[in-house]
Amino acid sequence: MTSPTLRERLNISRVALRHPRATYLAWVAVALLGAFAWTRLRVALFPDITFPVIVVTAERPEVPLEAMEREVTLPLERVMSPLADLKQMRSGSSAGRSWLAAEFEVGVPLDEVEGRVRAALPAAGLPAGTSTSVHRVDLNEAPVVTYVLVGRYRTPPQLMGTALGTFLPALRDLPDVERVVPLGMDPAAISRLSGEPADSTLPFTLVRLDGQPGVALEV
C-alpha cells in the first residue's frame, strides 16, 4: 500500500469531511469573530480627522520680488522648518507679498500648531513695515454644497438681503452644519447687510448663473 502524497495529506477538503464537527466549530468561531469585529468598526460619512494647515502671509507694498524672497520668505522658512510635527512646507513670493503654507502631521490639533506658528514669527526678524497674518486651514470645513440665488429683476444686494434674512439662518440651524459663507459681494457690504463683523479672510467674489448675476451660500 502506497503512502499518501503531500498533496493528499494537506487536502483541506478531505480533512474537513473527516472531521465535520471541528469544521463546523471553526466556521462558527470565524463568524463570531467577524460579528465582533463589525460591532467595533466605526464608520462615518465625514470622519472627524484633523489635517492641520497654517498659512502665513506677509505684505510689504512696493517691494521688488527678489527683496521679498530674500528678506521675508526665506526668514519665514528658517523659523518654521524646526517646528515640531511639521510635515511639509510650501512658499511663494511676488512683488510686495509672500506666503508660506505649513502642513503638520495628521491629528495634531489646529489650535496647537497655530500657537507654535505665531510664537515662531517674531524670531524671523522681518523688516520694519512688514504686515503679517496667520490663517488656519481646516480641510474638514470644505464646502459640500453651494446654493445660488438669481433674480431677473433683483440686484445682488437685494438677493443678498433675502439670502441673509431667510436662507442663511435656516441652513445654520441644520444638524452638523459647521459654517455657511455668503458669496457674491464685497465682504464689507455683506457685513453691513447682516449686521455681523466682516470676515477679512473672505475674498471679494462675483457670482453668475446662466449669465445672470446672483449671490451664493456655501455650506
Side-chain angles (χ1 to χ4, degrees), residues 57-77:
T57 57
E59 296 183 357
R60 292 181 66 200
E62 301 179 1
V63 175
L65 171 97
E66 293 80 5
M68 286 298 297
E69 182 180 39
R70 180 180 63 255
E71 300 174 6
V72 178
T73 306
L74 293 180
L76 285 176
E77 290 184 353

Side-chain angles (χ1 to χ4, degrees), residues 17-40:
L17 292 173
R18 286 182 177 178
H19 307 281
R21 292 184 179 178
T23 303
Y24 174 77
L25 293 175
W27 281 111
V28 169
V30 170
L32 291 175
L33 289 174
F36 175 76
W38 180 78
T39 60
R40 304 292 294 178

Side-chain angles (χ1 to χ4, degrees), residues 87-186:
K87 182 179 179 182
Q88 189 179 31
M89 185 171 57
R90 299 182 300 275
S91 65
S93 305
S94 60
R97 191 173 188 273
S98 295
W99 63 270
L100 182 145
E103 178 183 353
F104 293 82
E105 294 293 340
V106 175
V108 181
L110 263 174
D111 292 336
E112 183 177 331
V113 295
E114 182 181 359
R116 296 177 190 173
V117 170
R118 291 186 181 276
L121 281 180
L126 300 181
T130 304
S131 61
T132 60
S133 59
V134 179
H135 304 288
R136 51 198 291 172
V137 180
D138 189 352
L139 300 182
N140 289 324
E141 293 183 359
V144 295
V145 64
T146 301
Y147 296 96
V148 179
L149 280 70
V150 296
R152 181 172 298 179
Y153 303 108
R154 304 194 67 188
T155 63
Q158 292 173 328
L159 293 170
M160 184 60 73
T162 301
L164 296 175
T166 303
F167 296 103
L168 187 141
L171 291 171
R172 281 179 173 172
D173 290 340
L174 293 176
D176 300 325
V177 170
E178 181 72 22
R179 190 182 185 197
V180 182
V181 179
L183 301 173
M185 291 178 58
D186 183 359

